[in-house]
PDB file of all heavy atoms in Angstrom:
ATOM      1  N   SER A  41      44.619  91.972 114.269  1.00  0.00           N
ATOM      2  CA  SER A  41      44.574  91.459 115.650  1.00  0.00           C
ATOM      3  C   SER A  41      45.311  90.137 115.742  1.00  0.00           C
ATOM      4  O   SER A  41      45.979  89.854 116.730  1.00  0.00           O
ATOM      5  CB  SER A  41      43.128  91.297 116.110  1.00  0.00           C
ATOM      6  OG  SER A  41      42.514  90.212 115.443  1.00  0.00           O
ATOM      7  N   GLU A  42      45.220  89.331 114.696  1.00  0.00           N
ATOM      8  CA  GLU A  42      45.921  88.047 114.717  1.00  0.00           C
ATOM      9  C   GLU A  42      47.433  88.251 114.669  1.00  0.00           C
ATOM     10  O   GLU A  42      48.190  87.501 115.287  1.00  0.00           O
ATOM     11  CB  GLU A  42      45.449  87.164 113.555  1.00  0.00           C
ATOM     12  CG  GLU A  42      44.045  86.627 113.808  1.00  0.00           C
ATOM     13  CD  GLU A  42      43.424  85.917 112.618  1.00  0.00           C
ATOM     14  OE1 GLU A  42      43.919  86.087 111.477  1.00  0.00           O
ATOM     15  OE2 GLU A  42      42.443  85.202 112.814  1.00  0.00           O
ATOM     16  N   TRP A  45      48.580  89.052 118.094  1.00  0.00           N
ATOM     17  CA  TRP A  45      48.596  87.836 118.922  1.00  0.00           C
ATOM     18  C   TRP A  45      49.803  86.961 118.575  1.00  0.00           C
ATOM     19  O   TRP A  45      50.405  86.342 119.447  1.00  0.00           O
ATOM     20  CB  TRP A  45      47.285  87.062 118.753  1.00  0.00           C
ATOM     21  CG  TRP A  45      47.228  85.835 119.619  1.00  0.00           C
ATOM     22  CD1 TRP A  45      47.247  84.551 119.213  1.00  0.00           C
ATOM     23  CD2 TRP A  45      47.151  85.778 121.059  1.00  0.00           C
ATOM     24  NE1 TRP A  45      47.184  83.681 120.281  1.00  0.00           N
ATOM     25  CE2 TRP A  45      47.128  84.421 121.432  1.00  0.00           C
ATOM     26  CE3 TRP A  45      47.103  86.760 122.069  1.00  0.00           C
ATOM     27  CZ2 TRP A  45      47.055  83.996 122.758  1.00  0.00           C
ATOM     28  CZ3 TRP A  45      47.034  86.334 123.386  1.00  0.00           C
ATOM     29  CH2 TRP A  45      47.006  84.981 123.720  1.00  0.00           C
ATOM     30  N   PHE A  57      61.846  79.077 126.133  1.00  0.00           N
ATOM     31  CA  PHE A  57      63.132  78.495 125.725  1.00  0.00           C
ATOM     32  C   PHE A  57      64.291  79.188 126.434  1.00  0.00           C
ATOM     33  O   PHE A  57      65.256  78.537 126.834  1.00  0.00           O
ATOM     34  CB  PHE A  57      63.317  78.589 124.211  1.00  0.00           C
ATOM     35  CG  PHE A  57      62.456  77.612 123.467  1.00  0.00           C
ATOM     36  CD1 PHE A  57      61.822  77.974 122.291  1.00  0.00           C
ATOM     37  CD2 PHE A  57      62.265  76.329 123.956  1.00  0.00           C
ATOM     38  CE1 PHE A  57      61.020  77.070 121.620  1.00  0.00           C
ATOM     39  CE2 PHE A  57      61.465  75.420 123.288  1.00  0.00           C
ATOM     40  CZ  PHE A  57      60.835  75.795 122.108  1.00  0.00           C
ATOM     41  N   PRO A  71      69.472  65.767 132.083  1.00  0.00           N
ATOM     42  CA  PRO A  71      68.940  64.471 132.472  1.00  0.00           C
ATOM     43  C   PRO A  71      69.961  63.373 132.174  1.00  0.00           C
ATOM     44  O   PRO A  71      70.861  63.572 131.363  1.00  0.00           O
ATOM     45  CB  PRO A  71      67.697  64.319 131.603  1.00  0.00           C
ATOM     46  CG  PRO A  71      67.891  65.232 130.457  1.00  0.00           C
ATOM     47  CD  PRO A  71      68.776  66.330 130.929  1.00  0.00           C
ATOM     48  N   PRO A  72      69.837  62.224 132.877  1.00  0.00           N
ATOM     49  CA  PRO A  72      70.765  61.121 132.627  1.00  0.00           C
ATOM     50  C   PRO A  72      70.647  60.659 131.175  1.00  0.00           C
ATOM     51  O   PRO A  72      69.571  60.301 130.738  1.00  0.00           O
ATOM     52  CB  PRO A  72      70.293  60.028 133.591  1.00  0.00           C
ATOM     53  CG  PRO A  72      68.910  60.396 133.979  1.00  0.00           C
ATOM     54  CD  PRO A  72      68.825  61.880 133.882  1.00  0.00           C
ATOM     55  N   SER A  73      71.720  60.718 130.413  1.00  0.00           N
ATOM     56  CA  SER A  73      71.651  60.433 128.983  1.00  0.00           C
ATOM     57  C   SER A  73      72.928  59.781 128.494  1.00  0.00           C
ATOM     58  O   SER A  73      73.450  60.127 127.449  1.00  0.00           O
ATOM     59  CB  SER A  73      71.434  61.737 128.199  1.00  0.00           C
ATOM     60  OG  SER A  73      70.368  62.476 128.733  1.00  0.00           O
ATOM     61  N   VAL A  75      73.651  56.657 127.442  1.00  0.00           N
ATOM     62  CA  VAL A  75      73.537  55.669 126.359  1.00  0.00           C
ATOM     63  C   VAL A  75      74.661  54.624 126.417  1.00  0.00           C
ATOM     64  O   VAL A  75      75.540  54.574 125.571  1.00  0.00           O
ATOM     65  CB  VAL A  75      73.507  56.331 124.961  1.00  0.00           C
ATOM     66  CG1 VAL A  75      72.988  55.319 123.918  1.00  0.00           C
ATOM     67  CG2 VAL A  75      72.641  57.567 124.942  1.00  0.00           C
ATOM     68  N   GLN A 112      63.234  43.032 140.613  1.00  0.00           N
ATOM     69  CA  GLN A 112      61.937  42.736 141.223  1.00  0.00           C
ATOM     70  C   GLN A 112      62.170  42.134 142.606  1.00  0.00           C
ATOM     71  O   GLN A 112      62.745  41.051 142.690  1.00  0.00           O
ATOM     72  CB  GLN A 112      61.159  41.735 140.366  1.00  0.00           C
ATOM     73  CG  GLN A 112      60.615  42.327 139.068  1.00  0.00           C
ATOM     74  CD  GLN A 112      59.980  41.241 138.207  1.00  0.00           C
ATOM     75  OE1 GLN A 112      60.341  40.072 138.287  1.00  0.00           O
ATOM     76  NE2 GLN A 112      59.048  41.623 137.346  1.00  0.00           N
ATOM     77  N   ASN A 147      66.222  66.226 142.911  1.00  0.00           N
ATOM     78  CA  ASN A 147      65.906  66.124 141.491  1.00  0.00           C
ATOM     79  C   ASN A 147      66.511  64.875 140.864  1.00  0.00           C
ATOM     80  O   ASN A 147      66.621  64.777 139.656  1.00  0.00           O
ATOM     81  CB  ASN A 147      66.399  67.361 140.741  1.00  0.00           C
ATOM     82  CG  ASN A 147      65.569  68.574 141.107  1.00  0.00           C
ATOM     83  OD1 ASN A 147      64.428  68.439 141.529  1.00  0.00           O
ATOM     84  ND2 ASN A 147      66.147  69.755 140.963  1.00  0.00           N
ATOM     85  N   ASN A 149      66.326  61.517 139.404  1.00  0.00           N
ATOM     86  CA  ASN A 149      65.184  60.833 138.821  1.00  0.00           C
ATOM     87  C   ASN A 149      65.648  60.169 137.542  1.00  0.00           C
ATOM     88  O   ASN A 149      66.214  60.819 136.669  1.00  0.00           O
ATOM     89  CB  ASN A 149      64.099  61.881 138.513  1.00  0.00           C
ATOM     90  CG  ASN A 149      62.747  61.249 138.234  1.00  0.00           C
ATOM     91  OD1 ASN A 149      62.672  60.147 137.699  1.00  0.00           O
ATOM     92  ND2 ASN A 149      61.684  61.959 138.592  1.00  0.00           N
ATOM     93  N   MET A 151      64.956  56.536 134.750  1.00  0.00           N
ATOM     94  CA  MET A 151      64.419  55.216 134.456  1.00  0.00           C
ATOM     95  C   MET A 151      65.591  54.245 134.530  1.00  0.00           C
ATOM     96  O   MET A 151      66.736  54.603 134.225  1.00  0.00           O
ATOM     97  CB  MET A 151      63.807  55.154 133.056  1.00  0.00           C
ATOM     98  CG  MET A 151      62.684  56.134 132.797  1.00  0.00           C
ATOM     99  SD  MET A 151      61.399  56.166 134.046  1.00  0.00           S
ATOM    100  CE  MET A 151      60.770  54.503 133.937  1.00  0.00           C
ATOM    101  N   CYS A 174      60.814  52.864 143.830  1.00  0.00           N
ATOM    102  CA  CYS A 174      60.814  52.540 142.401  1.00  0.00           C
ATOM    103  C   CYS A 174      59.585  53.234 141.832  1.00  0.00           C
ATOM    104  O   CYS A 174      58.491  53.099 142.369  1.00  0.00           O
ATOM    105  CB  CYS A 174      60.693  51.035 142.201  1.00  0.00           C
ATOM    106  SG  CYS A 174      60.331  50.572 140.488  1.00  0.00           S
ATOM    107  N   HIS A 175      59.739  54.011 140.749  1.00  0.00           N
ATOM    108  CA  HIS A 175      58.572  54.751 140.259  1.00  0.00           C
ATOM    109  C   HIS A 175      58.072  54.271 138.907  1.00  0.00           C
ATOM    110  O   HIS A 175      57.331  54.955 138.230  1.00  0.00           O
ATOM    111  CB  HIS A 175      58.810  56.264 140.284  1.00  0.00           C
ATOM    112  CG  HIS A 175      59.814  56.768 139.285  1.00  0.00           C
ATOM    113  ND1 HIS A 175      59.926  56.279 138.012  1.00  0.00           N
ATOM    114  CD2 HIS A 175      60.725  57.755 139.385  1.00  0.00           C
ATOM    115  CE1 HIS A 175      60.875  56.931 137.375  1.00  0.00           C
ATOM    116  NE2 HIS A 175      61.386  57.828 138.189  1.00  0.00           N
ATOM    117  N   GLU A 176      58.503  53.076 138.491  1.00  0.00           N
ATOM    118  CA  GLU A 176      57.858  52.510 137.299  1.00  0.00           C
ATOM    119  C   GLU A 176      57.317  51.141 137.664  1.00  0.00           C
ATOM    120  O   GLU A 176      57.978  50.373 138.359  1.00  0.00           O
ATOM    121  CB  GLU A 176      58.829  52.432 136.108  1.00  0.00           C
ATOM    122  CG  GLU A 176      58.180  51.950 134.812  1.00  0.00           C
ATOM    123  CD  GLU A 176      56.947  52.761 134.407  1.00  0.00           C
ATOM    124  OE1 GLU A 176      57.096  53.793 133.719  1.00  0.00           O
ATOM    125  OE2 GLU A 176      55.824  52.363 134.786  1.00  0.00           O
ATOM    126  N   TYR A 177      56.118  50.871 137.191  1.00  0.00           N
ATOM    127  CA  TYR A 177      55.472  49.602 137.468  1.00  0.00           C
ATOM    128  C   TYR A 177      56.347  48.453 136.963  1.00  0.00           C
ATOM    129  O   TYR A 177      56.729  48.428 135.797  1.00  0.00           O
ATOM    130  CB  TYR A 177      54.107  49.570 136.780  1.00  0.00           C
ATOM    131  CG  TYR A 177      53.405  48.250 136.915  1.00  0.00           C
ATOM    132  CD1 TYR A 177      52.936  47.833 138.152  1.00  0.00           C
ATOM    133  CD2 TYR A 177      53.218  47.422 135.814  1.00  0.00           C
ATOM    134  CE1 TYR A 177      52.288  46.616 138.283  1.00  0.00           C
ATOM    135  CE2 TYR A 177      52.574  46.214 135.941  1.00  0.00           C
ATOM    136  CZ  TYR A 177      52.109  45.810 137.183  1.00  0.00           C
ATOM    137  OH  TYR A 177      51.477  44.602 137.310  1.00  0.00           O
ATOM    138  N   SER A 179      55.693  44.968 137.765  1.00  0.00           N
ATOM    139  CA  SER A 179      54.890  43.782 138.090  1.00  0.00           C
ATOM    140  C   SER A 179      54.335  43.941 139.509  1.00  0.00           C
ATOM    141  O   SER A 179      54.604  44.939 140.175  1.00  0.00           O
ATOM    142  CB  SER A 179      55.672  42.477 137.929  1.00  0.00           C
ATOM    143  OG  SER A 179      54.753  41.395 137.902  1.00  0.00           O
ATOM    144  N   HIS A 182      55.504  45.787 142.798  1.00  0.00           N
ATOM    145  CA  HIS A 182      56.083  47.120 142.626  1.00  0.00           C
ATOM    146  C   HIS A 182      55.909  48.032 143.838  1.00  0.00           C
ATOM    147  O   HIS A 182      56.825  48.741 144.238  1.00  0.00           O
ATOM    148  CB  HIS A 182      55.461  47.740 141.376  1.00  0.00           C
ATOM    149  CG  HIS A 182      55.623  49.206 141.249  1.00  0.00           C
ATOM    150  ND1 HIS A 182      56.858  49.797 141.129  1.00  0.00           N
ATOM    151  CD2 HIS A 182      54.715  50.213 141.226  1.00  0.00           C
ATOM    152  CE1 HIS A 182      56.693  51.104 141.026  1.00  0.00           C
ATOM    153  NE2 HIS A 182      55.412  51.385 141.091  1.00  0.00           N
ATOM    154  N   ASP A 183      54.714  48.011 144.436  1.00  0.00           N
ATOM    155  CA  ASP A 183      54.402  48.942 145.526  1.00  0.00           C
ATOM    156  C   ASP A 183      55.272  48.734 146.763  1.00  0.00           C
ATOM    157  O   ASP A 183      55.349  49.600 147.606  1.00  0.00           O
ATOM    158  CB  ASP A 183      52.925  48.808 145.903  1.00  0.00           C
ATOM    159  CG  ASP A 183      52.485  47.387 145.728  1.00  0.00           C
ATOM    160  OD1 ASP A 183      52.856  46.557 146.567  1.00  0.00           O
ATOM    161  OD2 ASP A 183      51.820  47.094 144.709  1.00  0.00           O
TER     162      ASP A 183
ATOM    163  N   TYR B  62      46.298  46.362 140.273  1.00  0.00           N
ATOM    164  CA  TYR B  62      46.919  46.555 138.957  1.00  0.00           C
ATOM    165  C   TYR B  62      46.036  46.036 137.830  1.00  0.00           C
ATOM    166  O   TYR B  62      46.078  46.545 136.713  1.00  0.00           O
ATOM    167  CB  TYR B  62      48.311  45.905 138.927  1.00  0.00           C
ATOM    168  CG  TYR B  62      49.257  46.616 139.856  1.00  0.00           C
ATOM    169  CD1 TYR B  62      49.844  45.975 140.928  1.00  0.00           C
ATOM    170  CD2 TYR B  62      49.518  47.975 139.679  1.00  0.00           C
ATOM    171  CE1 TYR B  62      50.681  46.648 141.795  1.00  0.00           C
ATOM    172  CE2 TYR B  62      50.354  48.657 140.544  1.00  0.00           C
ATOM    173  CZ  TYR B  62      50.930  47.987 141.598  1.00  0.00           C
ATOM    174  OH  TYR B  62      51.744  48.674 142.454  1.00  0.00           O
ATOM    175  N   ASN B 127      48.350  41.940 133.647  1.00  0.00           N
ATOM    176  CA  ASN B 127      48.500  43.084 134.556  1.00  0.00           C
ATOM    177  C   ASN B 127      49.715  43.903 134.149  1.00  0.00           C
ATOM    178  O   ASN B 127      50.674  44.028 134.898  1.00  0.00           O
ATOM    179  CB  ASN B 127      48.671  42.608 135.993  1.00  0.00           C
ATOM    180  CG  ASN B 127      47.458  41.858 136.479  1.00  0.00           C
ATOM    181  OD1 ASN B 127      46.340  42.154 136.065  1.00  0.00           O
ATOM    182  ND2 ASN B 127      47.663  40.878 137.339  1.00  0.00           N
ATOM    183  N   TYR B 257      35.553  83.593 114.572  1.00  0.00           N
ATOM    184  CA  TYR B 257      36.364  84.777 114.260  1.00  0.00           C
ATOM    185  C   TYR B 257      37.144  84.587 112.967  1.00  0.00           C
ATOM    186  O   TYR B 257      37.171  85.462 112.110  1.00  0.00           O
ATOM    187  CB  TYR B 257      37.320  85.028 115.432  1.00  0.00           C
ATOM    188  CG  TYR B 257      38.005  86.367 115.416  1.00  0.00           C
ATOM    189  CD1 TYR B 257      37.275  87.548 115.477  1.00  0.00           C
ATOM    190  CD2 TYR B 257      39.391  86.445 115.378  1.00  0.00           C
ATOM    191  CE1 TYR B 257      37.909  88.773 115.491  1.00  0.00           C
ATOM    192  CE2 TYR B 257      40.034  87.670 115.399  1.00  0.00           C
ATOM    193  CZ  TYR B 257      39.284  88.831 115.447  1.00  0.00           C
ATOM    194  OH  TYR B 257      39.917  90.051 115.469  1.00  0.00           O
ATOM    195  N   SER B 258      37.815  83.432 112.839  1.00  0.00           N
ATOM    196  CA  SER B 258      38.598  83.218 111.621  1.00  0.00           C
ATOM    197  C   SER B 258      38.669  81.739 111.269  1.00  0.00           C
ATOM    198  O   SER B 258      39.169  80.941 112.048  1.00  0.00           O
ATOM    199  CB  SER B 258      40.015  83.772 111.805  1.00  0.00           C
ATOM    200  OG  SER B 258      40.851  83.283 110.782  1.00  0.00           O
ATOM    201  N   PHE B 282      62.634  61.622 128.868  1.00  0.00           N
ATOM    202  CA  PHE B 282      63.691  62.551 129.265  1.00  0.00           C
ATOM    203  C   PHE B 282      64.695  61.927 130.226  1.00  0.00           C
ATOM    204  O   PHE B 282      65.859  62.291 130.226  1.00  0.00           O
ATOM    205  CB  PHE B 282      63.099  63.799 129.925  1.00  0.00           C
ATOM    206  CG  PHE B 282      62.690  64.861 128.950  1.00  0.00           C
ATOM    207  CD1 PHE B 282      61.735  65.805 129.294  1.00  0.00           C
ATOM    208  CD2 PHE B 282      63.266  64.939 127.691  1.00  0.00           C
ATOM    209  CE1 PHE B 282      61.354  66.791 128.403  1.00  0.00           C
ATOM    210  CE2 PHE B 282      62.898  65.923 126.792  1.00  0.00           C
ATOM    211  CZ  PHE B 282      61.937  66.854 127.155  1.00  0.00           C
ATOM    212  N   VAL B 283      64.262  61.013 131.099  1.00  0.00           N
ATOM    213  CA  VAL B 283      65.226  60.425 132.035  1.00  0.00           C
ATOM    214  C   VAL B 283      65.535  58.975 131.667  1.00  0.00           C
ATOM    215  O   VAL B 283      65.957  58.202 132.513  1.00  0.00           O
ATOM    216  CB  VAL B 283      64.768  60.565 133.516  1.00  0.00           C
ATOM    217  CG1 VAL B 283      64.574  62.024 133.873  1.00  0.00           C
ATOM    218  CG2 VAL B 283      63.504  59.779 133.789  1.00  0.00           C
ATOM    219  N   ASP B 284      65.347  58.620 130.398  1.00  0.00           N
ATOM    220  CA  ASP B 284      65.721  57.274 129.941  1.00  0.00           C
ATOM    221  C   ASP B 284      67.196  57.238 129.579  1.00  0.00           C
ATOM    222  O   ASP B 284      67.705  58.162 128.948  1.00  0.00           O
ATOM    223  CB  ASP B 284      64.893  56.880 128.709  1.00  0.00           C
ATOM    224  CG  ASP B 284      63.604  56.179 129.089  1.00  0.00           C
ATOM    225  OD1 ASP B 284      62.977  56.626 130.063  1.00  0.00           O
ATOM    226  OD2 ASP B 284      63.233  55.204 128.412  1.00  0.00           O
ATOM    227  N   PRO B 285      67.887  56.141 129.938  1.00  0.00           N
ATOM    228  CA  PRO B 285      69.325  56.080 129.647  1.00  0.00           C
ATOM    229  C   PRO B 285      69.646  55.781 128.184  1.00  0.00           C
ATOM    230  O   PRO B 285      70.798  55.945 127.779  1.00  0.00           O
ATOM    231  CB  PRO B 285      69.812  54.941 130.546  1.00  0.00           C
ATOM    232  CG  PRO B 285      68.613  54.077 130.758  1.00  0.00           C
ATOM    233  CD  PRO B 285      67.432  54.997 130.739  1.00  0.00           C
ATOM    234  N   LYS B 292      67.075  64.649 123.275  1.00  0.00           N
ATOM    235  CA  LYS B 292      66.135  65.085 124.308  1.00  0.00           C
ATOM    236  C   LYS B 292      65.906  66.592 124.195  1.00  0.00           C
ATOM    237  O   LYS B 292      64.777  67.073 124.290  1.00  0.00           O
ATOM    238  CB  LYS B 292      66.667  64.724 125.701  1.00  0.00           C
ATOM    239  CG  LYS B 292      66.576  63.233 125.996  1.00  0.00           C
ATOM    240  CD  LYS B 292      67.194  62.872 127.321  1.00  0.00           C
ATOM    241  CE  LYS B 292      67.089  61.366 127.571  1.00  0.00           C
ATOM    242  NZ  LYS B 292      67.849  60.935 128.749  1.00  0.00           N
ATOM    243  N   LEU B 307      47.688  78.030 121.602  1.00  0.00           N
ATOM    244  CA  LEU B 307      47.556  79.467 121.859  1.00  0.00           C
ATOM    245  C   LEU B 307      46.724  80.126 120.758  1.00  0.00           C
ATOM    246  O   LEU B 307      45.914  81.019 121.019  1.00  0.00           O
ATOM    247  CB  LEU B 307      48.945  80.113 121.955  1.00  0.00           C
ATOM    248  CG  LEU B 307      49.745  79.757 123.222  1.00  0.00           C
ATOM    249  CD1 LEU B 307      51.124  80.379 123.180  1.00  0.00           C
ATOM    250  CD2 LEU B 307      49.012  80.216 124.476  1.00  0.00           C
ATOM    251  N   SER B 370      62.906  66.434 135.698  1.00  0.00           N
ATOM    252  CA  SER B 370      63.501  65.549 136.704  1.00  0.00           C
ATOM    253  C   SER B 370      62.801  65.656 138.050  1.00  0.00           C
ATOM    254  O   SER B 370      62.812  64.721 138.837  1.00  0.00           O
ATOM    255  CB  SER B 370      64.973  65.909 136.917  1.00  0.00           C
ATOM    256  OG  SER B 370      65.707  65.539 135.792  1.00  0.00           O
ATOM    257  N   THR B 371      62.211  66.802 138.333  1.00  0.00           N
ATOM    258  CA  THR B 371      61.544  66.984 139.615  1.00  0.00           C
ATOM    259  C   THR B 371      60.243  66.187 139.687  1.00  0.00           C
ATOM    260  O   THR B 371      59.847  65.757 140.760  1.00  0.00           O
ATOM    261  CB  THR B 371      61.246  68.481 139.833  1.00  0.00           C
ATOM    262  OG1 THR B 371      62.423  69.208 139.523  1.00  0.00           O
ATOM    263  CG2 THR B 371      60.832  68.773 141.253  1.00  0.00           C
ATOM    264  N   HIS B 373      59.146  63.726 137.068  1.00  0.00           N
ATOM    265  CA  HIS B 373      58.998  62.573 136.184  1.00  0.00           C
ATOM    266  C   HIS B 373      58.471  61.343 136.917  1.00  0.00           C
ATOM    267  O   HIS B 373      59.001  60.953 137.949  1.00  0.00           O
ATOM    268  CB  HIS B 373      60.343  62.241 135.520  1.00  0.00           C
ATOM    269  CG  HIS B 373      60.249  61.113 134.539  1.00  0.00           C
ATOM    270  ND1 HIS B 373      59.925  61.331 133.218  1.00  0.00           N
ATOM    271  CD2 HIS B 373      60.370  59.789 134.691  1.00  0.00           C
ATOM    272  CE1 HIS B 373      59.875  60.163 132.610  1.00  0.00           C
ATOM    273  NE2 HIS B 373      60.133  59.216 133.472  1.00  0.00           N
ATOM    274  N   ASN B 374      57.431  60.732 136.338  1.00  0.00           N
ATOM    275  CA  ASN B 374      56.815  59.519 136.898  1.00  0.00           C
ATOM    276  C   ASN B 374      56.310  59.662 138.329  1.00  0.00           C
ATOM    277  O   ASN B 374      56.133  58.670 139.030  1.00  0.00           O
ATOM    278  CB  ASN B 374      57.770  58.318 136.812  1.00  0.00           C
ATOM    279  CG  ASN B 374      57.336  57.371 135.708  1.00  0.00           C
ATOM    280  OD1 ASN B 374      56.380  57.646 134.993  1.00  0.00           O
ATOM    281  ND2 ASN B 374      58.014  56.267 135.559  1.00  0.00           N
ATOM    282  N   ARG B 445      51.443  54.888 140.246  1.00  0.00           N
ATOM    283  CA  ARG B 445      51.250  53.456 140.011  1.00  0.00           C
ATOM    284  C   ARG B 445      51.576  52.587 141.214  1.00  0.00           C
ATOM    285  O   ARG B 445      52.243  51.569 141.100  1.00  0.00           O
ATOM    286  CB  ARG B 445      52.084  53.011 138.816  1.00  0.00           C
ATOM    287  CG  ARG B 445      51.710  53.754 137.563  1.00  0.00           C
ATOM    288  CD  ARG B 445      52.475  53.315 136.364  1.00  0.00           C
ATOM    289  NE  ARG B 445      51.666  53.547 135.170  1.00  0.00           N
ATOM    290  CZ  ARG B 445      52.083  53.345 133.942  1.00  0.00           C
ATOM    291  NH1 ARG B 445      53.285  52.892 133.733  1.00  0.00           N
ATOM    292  NH2 ARG B 445      51.298  53.571 132.928  1.00  0.00           N
ATOM    293  N   TYR B 448      49.479  50.830 147.165  1.00  0.00           N
ATOM    294  CA  TYR B 448      49.279  51.415 148.497  1.00  0.00           C
ATOM    295  C   TYR B 448      50.490  52.260 148.861  1.00  0.00           C
ATOM    296  O   TYR B 448      51.559  52.127 148.269  1.00  0.00           O
ATOM    297  CB  TYR B 448      49.042  50.336 149.564  1.00  0.00           C
ATOM    298  CG  TYR B 448      50.076  49.241 149.584  1.00  0.00           C
ATOM    299  CD1 TYR B 448      51.322  49.449 150.152  1.00  0.00           C
ATOM    300  CD2 TYR B 448      49.798  47.996 149.011  1.00  0.00           C
ATOM    301  CE1 TYR B 448      52.280  48.444 150.172  1.00  0.00           C
ATOM    302  CE2 TYR B 448      50.757  46.987 149.017  1.00  0.00           C
ATOM    303  CZ  TYR B 448      51.994  47.225 149.587  1.00  0.00           C
ATOM    304  OH  TYR B 448      52.934  46.239 149.585  1.00  0.00           O
ATOM    305  N   SER B 553      53.749  38.636 136.894  1.00  0.00           N
ATOM    306  CA  SER B 553      53.329  37.597 137.829  1.00  0.00           C
ATOM    307  C   SER B 553      51.910  37.822 138.317  1.00  0.00           C
ATOM    308  O   SER B 553      51.355  38.911 138.216  1.00  0.00           O
ATOM    309  CB  SER B 553      54.294  37.535 139.005  1.00  0.00           C
ATOM    310  OG  SER B 553      54.751  38.816 139.316  1.00  0.00           O
ATOM    311  N   ARG B 557      56.025  38.493 145.174  1.00  0.00           N
ATOM    312  CA  ARG B 557      56.900  37.453 145.711  1.00  0.00           C
ATOM    313  C   ARG B 557      57.468  37.782 147.076  1.00  0.00           C
ATOM    314  O   ARG B 557      58.292  37.054 147.577  1.00  0.00           O
ATOM    315  CB  ARG B 557      58.107  37.285 144.776  1.00  0.00           C
ATOM    316  CG  ARG B 557      57.821  36.661 143.460  1.00  0.00           C
ATOM    317  CD  ARG B 557      59.116  36.169 142.841  1.00  0.00           C
ATOM    318  NE  ARG B 557      60.123  37.207 142.699  1.00  0.00           N
ATOM    319  CZ  ARG B 557      60.803  37.411 141.573  1.00  0.00           C
ATOM    320  NH1 ARG B 557      60.553  36.682 140.520  1.00  0.00           N
ATOM    321  NH2 ARG B 557      61.730  38.341 141.505  1.00  0.00           N
TER     322      ARG B 557
END
Side-chain angles (χ1 to χ4, degrees):
Chain A
S41 71
E42 287 171 343
W45 182 248
F57 286 140
S73 310
V75 196
Q112 287 174 333
N147 290 336
N149 194 328
M151 301 311 298
C174 168
H175 69 39
E176 184 54 87
Y177 175 68
S179 196
H182 163 63
D183 34 74
Chain B
Y62 294 118
N127 297 328
Y257 193 61
S258 166
F282 274 157
V283 301
D284 270 41
K292 287 176 180 171
L307 289 177
S370 289
T371 313
H373 183 88
N374 255 3
R445 300 182 152 176
Y448 52 77
S553 35
R557 289 198 304 228

